[in-house]
Amino acid sequence: MAITDSSTVETPAEMRIAELTHQGVMHIHGEDAEGFLQSQFINDLSELSSGQTQINGYCDAKGRLLAIFQLLKRAEHFFIIAPNEILPGLIKRLNLFVLRSKVTIEVLPWHIFVAWGSEIDTMVATLGERSGQSDETLKDPNLKTIRSTQLMTFRDDSTALLLLADSKESIVNEPVLAELLTPEAAWQSDRVRAGVPTIYQSTVGQFLPQWVNMDLIDGLSFRKGCFPGQEIIARTRYLGKLKKRMVAFSAQGIDDQAAQSLLPGSTVYDQDQQKIGTVVDAVEYPAGDWHLLAMVRLAGVSDTLLAGEVTLHAEKLPYPIPETTDSKADSQQA
């Protein structure tokens, strides 16, 4: 789904906080949790210490992404932050492989907030470090508070503060936070412009990790052990450079009907109306200004492409896209 906002004025960038109403929290814990997740996910959990986050993903046997998410580790507990619409399918698939492992997977009814901006260090110092270290603390229904605060650092060197809370009131009751509330679309717009992809229900199973730049934003490890789809993903890397990558676009002055052609999973065309790619993510913020990520064939990229009747204007990502050559593996996966 595309996130939109009706605000006509962008919130000042010094400091913001948004509730991620379209995201949910999955909790994985148990004696075998870390080993189990290491065998399933595409990034290396051995590089994740308690109190850290990483961008990670989950693929099917063909190497196609079923999910992209932020993974938070707290002691023996792991928390996945991902779109609500894909959580049921993600839980169902993970449970297929639990077998006799001592692992529990559940969705928590927590609210997710993220704070970002130039004063993030001051906010971290003000709130302090809060974390649950036991099942009792993490799941006590009578504890109405901010359960966890965690600083996240991204590939573009930006930072943000992830807050998990029982309710919106837990945030509003913090004076340092309440006056900074801004629409969710503001955060999603920043992430799209930073080149961070998201998998929605409409794009489950469509993209190899490299096609959406997971290898360029530290979201994919080629050094860890086996995981679903690893052979195909590795073959795509070692048999040649990719012909497909995720790039950024913008569009302005789009009405509601035209915006339907910008939804994730929609087709992107070149000026000759030939299919060249697929929309990965799109967000409108402020009203009338659209920011998009699309997976495209790099050989056909120009300054302007089309999604339906909408003209897309190429934008720069904050990280470089490697030069491309024909890849036999990439062609076979098209």
Side-chain angles (χ1 to χ4, degrees):
M1 63 178 295
I3 297 177
T4 64
D5 177 67
S6 58
S7 302
T8 57
V9 179
E10 193 167 354
T11 306
E14 286 77 11
M15 204 64 220
R16 306 175 183 177
I17 182 168
E19 182 178 8
L20 307 187
T21 59
H22 294 86
Q23 303 273 316
V25 183
M26 183 191 300
H27 181 206
I28 304 100
H29 58 104
E31 183 178 329
D32 301 325
E34 182 165 351
F36 170 72
L37 297 179
Q38 178 76 326
S39 71
Q40 297 296 313
F41 295 162
I42 66 174
N43 212 348
D44 192 351
L45 270 70
S46 69
E47 298 180 356
L48 185 64
S49 300
S50 181
Q52 292 183 332
T53 66
Q54 70 176 189
I55 188 169
N56 212 318
Y58 189 35
C59 289
D60 61 19
K62 296 180 179 179
R64 304 298 179 102
L65 282 160
L66 304 175
I68 293 173
F69 45 84
Q70 282 291 328
L71 181 65
L72 165 64
K73 181 179 181 181
R74 286 290 192 187
E76 73 277 15
H77 298 266
F78 294 86
F79 301 90
I80 286 175
I81 313 299
N84 284 311
E85 62 190 72
I86 69 168
L87 286 182
L90 183 56
I91 291 176
K92 181 178 180 180
R93 188 171 184 89
L94 284 171
N95 275 322
L96 290 176
F97 300 100
V98 169
L99 302 177
R100 296 183 180 180
S101 299
K102 296 178 181 179
V103 175
T104 300
I105 304 172
E106 59 192 343
V107 173
L108 297 178
W110 290 355
H111 292 247
I112 306 166
F113 294 82
V114 63
W116 73 106
S118 59
E119 301 298 321
I120 191 68
D121 291 340
T122 301
M123 178 171 287
V124 171
T126 300
L127 290 175
E129 188 76 3
R130 309 180 188 199
S131 65
Q133 298 295 330
S134 68
D135 284 340
E136 290 73 21
T137 302
L138 288 167
K139 299 171 65 176
D140 181 0
N142 297 315
L143 184 61
K144 302 299 182 183
T145 184
I146 298 175
R147 300 282 183 150
S148 175
T149 66
Q150 178 59 50
L151 192 65
M152 302 182 291
T153 302
F154 299 98
R155 179 64 175 80
D156 61 355
D157 293 328
S158 63
T159 56
L161 187 66
L162 175 69
L163 301 102
L164 304 179
D166 289 279
S167 66
K168 188 170 184 176
E169 287 68 32
S170 301
I171 299 297
V172 174
N173 290 338
E174 293 277 357
V176 70
L177 302 178
E179 62 186 27
L180 302 175
L181 285 172
T182 194
E184 179 179 8
W187 168 252
Q188 188 63 14
S189 176
D190 274 15
R191 292 300 86 204
V192 166
R193 285 182 282 186
V196 179
T198 300
I199 297 296
Y200 299 98
Q201 192 60 46
S202 59
T203 54
V204 165
Q206 290 198 32
F207 307 125
L208 290 176
Q210 296 100 312
W211 289 353
V212 291
N213 303 352
M214 287 291 281
D215 55 326
L216 305 182
I217 58 172
D218 301 328
L220 170 64
S221 173
F222 293 101
R223 299 184 301 273
K224 60 167 289 185
C226 295
F227 57 86
Q230 183 191 38
E231 182 179 351
I232 292 172
I233 293 168
R235 187 189 311 150
T236 302
R237 180 192 188 198
Y238 293 115
L239 289 186
K241 296 180 181 179
L242 295 161
K243 295 188 297 180
K244 301 175 183 178
R245 281 290 189 179
M246 186 178 70
V247 295
F249 297 94
S250 63
Q252 289 77 37
I254 310 303
D255 60 30
D256 291 344
Q257 182 175 354
Q260 296 302 305
S261 63
L262 304 181
L263 297 176
S266 299
T267 300
V268 176
Y269 300 91
D270 62 19
Q271 294 296 328
D272 296 323
Q273 293 293 326
Q274 298 298 308
K275 180 178 178 179
I276 191 175
T278 304
V279 175
V280 176
D281 203 355
V283 59
E284 181 188 19
Y285 185 80
D289 288 343
W290 283 85
H291 303 278
L292 300 91
L293 295 170
M295 181 211 71
V296 298
R297 286 186 287 105
L298 293 179
V301 171
S302 62
D303 289 340
T304 58
L305 296 176
L306 300 171
E309 300 298 321
V310 178
T311 299
L312 307 179
H313 303 279
E315 302 287 348
K316 290 190 66 175
L317 288 171
Y319 51 82
I321 301 295
E323 293 183 5
T324 181
T325 60
D326 285 345
S327 165
K328 183 183 297 183
D330 194 30
S331 300
Q332 291 172 348
Q333 287 295 313

